[in-house]
Amino acid sequence: MPPIKAEPRSASAALKAHSAAVSTPIADIARFLQENLGQRLTARMAGINDAKQVGRWAAGTSRPRPEAEARLLDAIQIFHLIQAADSVYTARAWMIGMNPQLEDMAPALCIAEDRARDVMVAARAYVEATHSAAPEVSSAAAA
């Protein structure tokens, strides 16, 4: 009998992040991104110029257009994937920092340019690298 291949950690984490994203009301998503990435960056990711509009979405007094909503869903899903692998602080830094897999652009800015798929690929690679490095750190700490 051939050995059973384990599912990559990123695949399982991505499914959980997707489930969380699609089951969360858009007002909560806007609020979370506003709190963790700031109102201006959230607006830029959503493709709008008026950052105050993010606050209205977060308050539930208005709703984003479909294209903006799709970008917010992409952003929260990717944020949750990174957060599950590490922490909310790492996820924030990962979203706003330069990423070598994205031509040294910040993942949040790539989402603004409709490159969410590229960002998800980079996020999965990060999760896999984090997971594969974890046992080495643990064994070194135990020695």
Side-chain angles (χ1 to χ4, degrees):
M1 178 178 238
I4 298 173
K5 251 182 137 174
E7 180 180 83
R9 180 171 189 235
S10 63
S12 172
L15 285 173
K16 288 178 186 172
H18 177 261
S19 179
V22 299
S23 65
T24 303
I26 196 65
D28 293 343
I29 291 171
R31 189 175 318 105
F32 179 88
L33 292 171
Q34 177 181 273
E35 290 170 359
N36 286 283
L37 298 175
Q39 197 169 38
R40 288 194 324 206
L41 183 55
T42 300
R44 185 159 180 197
M45 282 190 304
I48 62 169
N49 294 323
D50 181 9
K52 291 181 182 178
Q53 185 63 40
V54 174
R56 292 188 280 275
W57 296 339
T61 58
S62 87
R63 192 170 174 86
R65 293 181 184 206
E67 339 45 85
E69 185 172 346
R71 287 183 179 138
L72 295 177
L73 284 167
D74 293 340
I76 195 77
Q77 184 174 340
I78 292 163
F79 193 102
H80 282 322
L81 177 60
I82 299 297
Q83 182 181 355
D86 207 312
S87 71
V88 68
Y89 306 107
T90 299
R92 181 182 189 289
W94 191 91
M95 290 291 285
I96 64 174
M98 290 191 305
N99 188 302
Q101 288 186 282
L102 301 169
E103 297 88 39
D104 292 327
M105 284 185 64
L109 299 180
C110 290
I111 291 169
E113 294 181 354
D114 291 322
R115 294 181 53 206
R117 189 162 191 234
D118 294 339
V119 177
M120 180 56 86
V121 169
R124 286 179 181 222
Y126 177 82
V127 170
E128 286 301 318
T130 301
H131 180 65
S132 64
E136 295 172 14
V137 172
S138 299
S139 63

